[in-house]
Each structure stands twice: as C-alpha cells, then as structure tokens.
Amino acid sequence: VCPGDCGCVGCPVWCVSCGGVVRVALRGLPGVYELLSGVSVIRGCPTDVVRVSGSRERMSPSVAVDLQDEMFWSVCGWENDLRRFLRLGAAHDGPSRVVTLGAAVQTLDRLFDRMLSRADCGAVFGRQIMELFGRALRVARNGPLRSLLRFPCSYCGVRALVQQEGLPNRPWYTSCEQRLGGCGRLFTEQEMEWQTAVRVVIQQ
Ligand SMILES: [Zn+2]
Ligand SMILES: [Zn+2]
C-alpha cells in the first residue's frame, strides 16, 4: 500500500503521484529553511509578524530555529544513510548550513528513485520529508495554506480539489479530498497544469 494519501494499492513503495509530491517537498526544503531565517530576523516588526496558521499569536523565533535544526539534521542524516547504502563516499560539510543542506537535498534529488524505492526506509523517508516541509511552511507563513478549487477533479468529476500552498505563490500539491466525496488522488503542480490544459481543450 502506498504510504501517501492516495489510498492506492499494489505500488512498490510510493505511487507516482505521491512520489512526485514528496519530491516537490524535498526540493522546497532549502527555500523554506531560508524563510524560517526570516522569521527570527523580523522579530519586533509588527507588519511582518509571522503567525501560526489559524492563530493570531506571535511566534517565538526559537521555534523557527529549532525547526531549522531539525530539518538540517534530518536531511543530512538521510543523505548519509543513502550514501552508506549505495557505498558512496561521505558528504563534505559546506561553508554554511544552508549550503550543506542544499547539497544534501541535491544528492537526495539526484538519487531520488533509489531512495524512495528502498524497502527498508523509503516509506519513512517520504513521510518525514512531507511532514517537515508542511510543518515548516505552517511556521514560516501566515494566512490560509489550503484553498478549494472551483473546478472538479478530472478523474472523478467531484468538486473536491484542495490546493496546498507551498513557498510563496507556488502550489505544493493538490488533493482530491475524500472527506468532500473526492477520489483521494494527489496531483503535483505539473499534473495540475496538465489538468488545467485538458479543461481548456474540453471547453473549446
Ligand atoms: Zn500514493
Ligand atoms: Zn478526484
């Protein structure tokens, strides 16, 4: 059974849609890491106060710093684990944490299919990357992170597509929500572009 939200069975570890979502999250980690740096810097600037989604409270910058720590050690840990698994040499530390994290993400992205299809830990890896990215976004951003789209899912025809925002102005993924009567499929941004193109063709 795929560990993602799609509910599909018979996949090796992750299905293509959910794997695509994990990959978008992985590639987005350095960006959201830098967003979190902004959280501590803008402390005390009232117009830029960062709120946890749904609350009006100010957030302690230490939350962002702790989260950056967690992201750094988690991603570098996975990179080292994969390097050991594939008998590659150890990674080298960069001049800064951002650079080291970026290099670790690049390695994991380059060897993404190998990593995600690992029977021993591919499921845990993917879940952890999605969870980290999602949680870091909630901390780094304020305002709504999810919105219901106006048009129906092109697979099941139900109007249950909910878009999850990623980095500013960039969708992360869209899910056809089962709790709204949808089919539970997940779509990456590229797949949504394709769906939108199909809609345009149908309307013409
Ligand atoms: Zn799946
Ligand atoms: Zn659907």
Side-chain angles (χ1 to χ4, degrees):
V1 179
C2 171
D5 291 336
C6 60
C8 65
V9 283
C11 327
V13 178
W14 290 84
C15 73
V16 175
S17 291
C18 297
V21 169
V22 173
R23 192 166 206 163
V24 175
L26 174 70
R27 289 175 176 169
L29 282 175
V32 83
Y33 185 93
E34 297 205 56
L35 278 182
L36 286 172
S37 300
V39 170
S40 43
V41 172
I42 62 172
R43 185 189 195 187
C45 176
T47 52
D48 284 339
V49 169
V50 171
R51 287 182 292 268
V52 178
S53 184
S55 92
R56 296 267 134 192
E57 286 162 45
R58 283 199 190 195
M59 195 192 60
S60 152
S62 68
V63 174
V65 173
D66 290 349
L67 195 48
Q68 282 184 317
D69 254 17
E70 192 183 334
M71 291 167 81
F72 181 81
W73 292 115
S74 169
V75 172
C76 294
W78 282 117
E79 184 200 14
N80 285 326
D81 185 76
L82 181 62
R83 283 176 173 275
R84 268 196 305 275
F85 180 73
L86 298 176
R87 296 172 199 282
L88 303 170
H92 299 288
D93 279 349
S96 69
R97 274 194 163 197
V98 184
V99 174
T100 308
L101 178 75
V105 164
Q106 263 177 26
T107 304
L108 290 168
D109 188 43
R110 187 162 47 85
L111 302 165
F112 188 74
D113 294 332
R114 309 281 300 270
M115 184 70 219
L116 210 64
S117 60
R118 285 172 67 181
D120 58 335
C121 63
V124 181
F125 165 77
R127 271 199 223 104
Q128 207 176 90
I129 294 297
M130 296 219 297
E131 194 276 330
L132 262 180
F133 182 76
R135 186 151 47 94
L137 270 180
R138 280 196 298 280
V139 170
R141 306 209 47 207
N142 82 58
L145 288 168
R146 294 156 68 83
S147 47
L148 182 67
L149 301 183
R150 274 191 304 253
F151 55 89
C153 169
S154 58
Y155 285 89
C156 67
V158 178
R159 192 172 157 272
L161 291 174
V162 173
Q163 191 169 76
Q164 177 87 37
E165 270 183 65
L167 298 173
N169 304 320
R170 282 223 309 263
W172 169 19
Y173 70 83
T174 302
S175 56
C176 185
E177 297 276 308
Q178 278 172 325
R179 63 186 171 81
L180 299 176
C183 62
R185 280 191 170 80
L186 290 182
F187 306 98
T188 59
E189 193 182 351
Q190 291 89 327
E191 288 170 314
M192 282 312 291
E193 273 167 24
W194 175 81
Q195 279 214 45
T196 310
V198 169
R199 267 178 56 246
V200 171
V201 171
I202 291 170
Q203 278 167 0
Q204 276 167 357

